Amino acid sequence: MCGFTAFFDTVENKNEIIDNMNKRIWHRGPDMSGKYIDDNAAMGFVRLSILDLSESGAQPMYSEDGNKILVFNGEIYNYQDIKDDLIAKGYHFISETDSEVLIHGYTEYGTDLVNRLRGMFAFCIWDKQNKRVFGARDHFGIKPYYFYKYKNGNENGLLIGSEIKSFLEHPLFKKELNEKALKPYLTFQYSSQADETFFKGVERLKPGHFFVFENGEMKIEKYWDVSFNDKHHTVDENIKKIQSVMEESIKLHSHTDVPFGSFLSGGIDSSYVTAYLMPDVTFSIGFMQENFDESIYAAELSKILGIKNIRKTITGDDCLGNLETIQYHMDEPQSNPSTLPLYFLSKLVRDNGVIVVLSGEGADEIFGGYEWYDDDAGQKKLKKLPNFILKPAAAIAKGLPEFRGKTTLLRAGRPVEETFIGEALIFDEGEAKSILKPRFQNSRTVRQITQPIYDMVKGKDDVTKKQMIDIKLFMEGDILQKADKMSMAHSIELRVPFLDKEVMRVGEEIGTEQKIANGTTKYILRKTAEQKLPEEWYKRKKKGFPVPIKHWFREEKHYNFVKDYFNKPYVAEFFEEEKINKILDEHYNGISNNARKIYTILVFLVWYERYFIKES
């Protein structure tokens, strides 16, 4: 696990610029750094040594003829198979790294290399002879990849990197807040548009895509995508398929030359990975408040499995006291509260000398694990009504003020495309617009963001549609962003064996009736886990990473912390101050539960102050 940054132009002072860019992402790779510079390119790299700890694994890495230069972040899990093929074709290797496979692989296969890869990766190869840049991002977006196009006189330049913050050191990067990012963020809780990050002009290379930059032109192509297609296998057949592919994936993901362990909560996903992996140690985080500490379950399972468990309890003071640092590492505002404990969980791992951890991300999206995939009791009851009653009732309710049961009625009586956007709906669009100043109200609508994804699964059932929304928006924009940024903030490598293209291939072929069944979500994975986990674990309902922000914002010291931010001089540039203070005060006084709304506004303000006031 590492970090890279690069730029392709003819500016002077490349050496100083790339050094400063490397310093910005030093936390991603404190073991070693390197750079490459010529008249048309500068590439920087910081290394967290995982495979082949020797100098032969250093980057940037060169092809045998010295004409191709590589920087690479991630792990290629099938690199040995590719390496064997390349050796048979006459290539020579000087290291035991997967990095060298990429540079020789590109020389041999060209852009078709990406179709041979199994892993998590973001990489860039500079072909200095042909003045061509080739870059690619993994299938799911596990590893981040940002780019920024700009003008240098008459030439077109390109900035790329693992983190946006490195771009701040380039003299031609124009740091501007993207006005089109704030309104969607208030609804989704994360930056939900690949081509519209919070920094104007900065985009993400989409998962499953590669690019070629040549003669000032950037061409982006898709090489892989999710494709749900029920093959109608029996439950027993699918159980065997899941067992086989997960055993293989976990084995591949546990290949490392440094100490490793696993994250462990009380849920089935991390528990299943841990039971297969059987690491030396597991790590867990909890809160003091009742019902917000799953670490006790992690400790119990670790004891049953005979594995050492290290856990820690954290507080509101810990979390809010480190909020600025956390948002700095995130690059963009992200108000999923589970980011907070993940930051401290990663720190706990590093403090105990472990470098690589495995985790359970991706299982819910692939196997149907979220509670919102199943209708709740109220929706099931309403759906028994004839459509000629239910649909008009939902249409009328849409235009009415809030009332008890309104959300249930809307979800039961309207198409999923009109009601579902993923895990969070913090502010609905009307409310988001009402608290924003006019210049921030003009951006994509929620429907404009979600509809292209729904179009990919036309004719599929509602659960499959929700899975695709979560894979394309929530998982890539939220889950994987925080997993990478919070782990790398503490220089540890987080691996996610569920997010493997062969595991996805199995998941794509499983029908909804095996995902949501017998009154539970993720039915088929729970059945698979019966042979590995105690009943209490494979049957336990998903809780996520519960964080007691509701309680914190009703404590005077934390209320005052937020109140101070809500009334800073720059707030009036973005928000209607009276309205956001009312949201805070009503929560503090117990009139309503506005915790997620408060936290979402707070996170943006903390992030903005860090990047646009303190940085300036």
Side-chain angles (χ1 to χ4, degrees):
M1 190 71 66
C2 311
F4 66 83
T5 190
F7 57 92
F8 303 92
D9 59 32
T10 56
V11 298
E12 297 179 355
N13 254 358
K14 284 189 173 70
N15 194 63
E16 181 182 350
I17 294 168
I18 205 69
D19 280 346
N20 289 333
M21 293 174 78
N22 267 0
K23 288 175 185 176
R24 282 281 188 171
I25 57 169
W26 189 255
H27 50 275
R28 297 188 72 91
D31 296 333
M32 196 181 299
S33 68
K35 59 189 173 183
Y36 166 83
I37 296 169
D38 66 27
D39 290 342
N40 299 286
M43 306 171 77
F45 182 76
V46 292
R47 184 186 186 199
L48 180 64
S49 302
I50 302 296
L51 293 174
D52 189 345
L53 309 185
S54 71
E55 289 283 342
S56 61
Q59 293 185 40
M61 186 171 282
Y62 299 80
S63 59
E64 289 182 88
D65 62 8
N67 284 323
K68 298 180 182 70
I69 301 94
L70 165 81
V71 286
F72 159 53
N73 171 28
E75 303 289 344
I76 307 300
Y77 297 120
N78 64 334
Y79 79 96
Q80 193 62 55
D81 294 336
I82 302 172
K83 183 176 182 178
D84 291 343
D85 184 58
L86 290 168
I87 290 173
K89 288 179 164 63
Y91 288 87
H92 300 96
F93 288 80
I94 61 171
S95 75
E96 295 301 320
T97 67
D98 48 354
S99 309
E100 200 173 1
V101 165
L102 290 177
I103 198 158
H104 292 330
Y106 178 62
T107 302
E108 176 65 28
Y109 313 121
T111 60
D112 188 55
L113 167 67
V114 293
N115 296 308
R116 300 169 182 264
L117 302 178
R118 182 177 180 181
M120 55 178 187
F121 53 85
F123 65 85
C124 171
I125 295 173
W126 167 237
D127 182 341
K128 69 177 182 181
Q129 189 172 36
N130 296 298
K131 293 183 172 57
R132 181 186 300 126
V133 186
F134 170 62
R137 191 180 184 195
D138 66 66
H139 308 77
F140 300 97
I142 303 168
K143 294 289 96 195
Y145 208 132
Y146 299 97
F147 66 91
Y148 177 78
K149 294 177 284 187
Y150 55 95
K151 282 282 188 183
N152 179 27
N154 293 323
E155 71 173 353
N156 292 326
L158 179 69
L159 261 170
I160 62 168
S162 301
E163 298 189 9
I164 302 173
K165 59 180 66 67
S166 67
F167 295 177
L168 301 175
E169 301 298 337
H170 193 285
L172 294 178
F173 177 69
K174 190 176 181 181
K175 184 180 70 172
E176 294 180 275
L177 179 69
N178 181 9
E179 297 170 355
K180 296 179 180 179
L182 182 53
K183 184 163 74 71
Y185 159 77
L186 292 178
T187 296
F188 285 94
Q189 81 178 4
Y190 56 91
S191 184
S192 57
Q193 308 165 84
D195 60 339
E196 296 283 357
T197 66
F198 269 83
F199 292 90
K200 188 176 290 186
V202 176
E203 301 181 44
R204 299 182 202 89
L205 182 63
K206 293 180 181 178
H209 284 66
F210 70 83
F211 74 87
V212 174
F213 181 73
E214 189 174 17
N215 298 321
E217 297 295 322
M218 186 178 192
K219 295 181 180 178
I220 300 174
E221 291 187 34
K222 179 170 68 175
Y223 68 86
W224 183 89
D225 213 339
V226 176
S227 179
F228 288 105
N229 185 19
D230 184 2
K231 296 293 187 181
H232 304 287
H233 300 304
T234 66
V235 168
D236 287 341
E237 287 172 335
N238 280 329
I239 287 173
K240 289 177 182 177
K241 286 175 179 291
I242 294 171
Q243 286 174 331
S244 175
V245 77
M246 283 303 301
E247 184 174 4
E248 180 195 26
S249 182
I250 291 170
K251 182 179 179 180
L252 289 171
H253 281 71
S254 59
H255 180 50
T256 175
D257 294 332
V258 296
F260 71 94
S262 69
F263 286 166
L264 185 57
S265 67
I268 181 178
D269 306 335
S270 61
S271 298
Y272 184 74
V273 169
T274 299
Y276 253 117
L277 181 65
M278 292 299 290
D280 294 328
V281 61
T282 62
F283 297 92
S284 313
I285 284 283
F287 294 95
M288 291 190 299
Q289 284 87 350
E290 190 178 355
N291 299 322
F292 289 92
D293 188 1
E294 282 200 306
S295 67
I296 53 174
Y297 303 123
E300 288 176 20
L301 181 61
S302 297
K303 186 176 181 180
I304 291 169
L305 297 174
I307 301 170
K308 180 182 178 182
N309 175 251
I310 299 175
R311 58 180 178 144
K312 184 177 181 179
T313 299
I314 57 176
T315 67
D317 289 345
D318 295 325
C319 292
L320 296 181
N322 285 275
L323 188 56
E324 180 184 312
T325 300
I326 290 169
Q327 289 307 310
Y328 174 74
H329 280 289
M330 283 303 304
D331 271 343
E332 299 184 81
Q334 197 260 33
S335 69
N336 187 333
S338 64
T339 304
L340 299 169
L342 186 54
Y343 175 83
F344 290 96
L345 182 57
S346 299
K347 184 178 186 301
L348 183 65
V349 170
R350 187 70 193 202
D351 287 348
N352 282 276
V354 171
I355 308 298
V356 175
V357 284
L358 271 64
S359 189
E361 279 85 354
D364 292 309
E365 289 81 1
I366 295 174
F367 296 108
Y370 293 120
E371 61 181 17
W372 51 83
Y373 291 157
D374 195 14
D375 292 334
D376 60 31
Q379 289 171 269
K380 289 175 181 176
K381 192 173 182 179
L382 285 170
K383 285 185 175 181
K384 292 178 181 178
L385 295 172
N387 276 338
F388 69 86
I389 294 175
L390 180 59
K391 288 186 177 181
I396 293 169
K398 184 179 179 181
L400 296 176
E402 288 300 317
F403 60 86
R404 185 179 179 86
K406 178 181 177 180
T407 300
T408 302
L409 176 55
L410 292 177
R411 288 177 177 169
R414 295 165 67 205
V416 66
E417 290 85 349
E418 296 180 16
T419 61
F420 183 76
I421 68 165
E423 187 268 346
L425 199 167
I426 308 300
F427 290 91
D428 68 38
E429 282 191 273
E431 191 177 9
K433 199 170 181 178
S434 73
I435 66 170
L436 286 171
K437 291 298 175 69
R439 63 183 279 236
F440 295 97
Q441 294 178 8
N442 184 26
S443 58
R444 283 191 182 106
T445 65
V446 168
R447 190 68 182 270
Q448 286 172 331
I449 293 169
T450 61
Q451 193 58 52
I453 300 167
Y454 278 120
D455 289 343
M456 297 171 63
V457 281
K458 275 184 178 176
K460 301 289 185 181
D461 61 88
D462 284 358
V463 171
T464 300
K465 290 177 180 178
K466 290 178 180 180
Q467 284 181 271
M468 189 63 89
I469 286 287
D470 280 337
I471 288 170
K472 294 294 183 181
L473 288 177
F474 181 51
M475 188 172 78
E476 194 275 318
D478 185 317
I479 297 294
L480 295 178
Q481 287 290 321
K482 74 174 191 282
D484 174 83
K485 302 292 177 60
M486 294 299 93
S487 58
M488 291 311 304
H490 298 287
S491 307
I492 66 167
E493 175 166 292
L494 177 62
R495 297 180 178 180
V496 283
F498 280 109
L499 289 177
D500 172 86
K501 69 177 184 180
E502 298 303 325
V503 177
M504 187 73 236
R505 198 190 308 275
V506 171
E508 288 173 334
E509 297 181 353
I510 299 173
T512 293
E513 75 284 348
Q514 291 185 27
K515 295 171 183 171
I516 311 298
N518 290 7
T520 186
T521 60
K522 210 156 40 187
Y523 174 77
I524 190 67
L525 186 61
R526 296 181 191 279
K527 291 293 291 182
T528 305
E530 285 183 11
Q531 297 180 25
K532 283 286 180 184
L533 296 173
E535 183 177 5
E536 184 181 351
W537 272 265
Y538 70 73
K539 284 189 173 180
R540 183 175 291 125
K541 287 188 175 182
K542 183 176 182 63
K543 289 184 71 175
F545 224 148
V547 182
I549 58 173
K550 171 185 174 181
H551 302 292
W552 295 345
F553 295 149
R554 285 178 177 155
E555 294 178 29
E556 186 174 1
K557 61 181 175 180
H558 299 317
Y559 164 79
N560 288 332
F561 173 81
V562 179
K563 194 77 171 175
D564 178 60
Y565 267 100
F566 277 22
N567 292 281
K568 291 196 174 190
Y570 59 83
V571 174
E573 179 183 347
F574 307 103
F575 295 105
E576 297 290 345
E577 293 172 280
E578 185 177 337
K579 291 181 179 180
I580 65 171
N581 277 280
K582 182 180 179 183
I583 290 170
L584 174 61
D585 292 340
E586 286 183 350
H587 179 87
Y588 178 66
N589 293 315
I591 297 171
S592 54
N593 179 8
N594 294 328
R596 295 293 292 274
K597 294 178 180 179
I598 294 165
Y599 187 62
T600 298
I601 297 169
L602 173 66
V603 161
F604 169 76
L605 296 175
V606 170
W607 170 85
Y608 177 79
E609 183 173 286
R610 178 63 180 82
Y611 273 101
F612 284 86
I613 295 177
K614 293 185 177 180
E615 280 286 340
S616 63

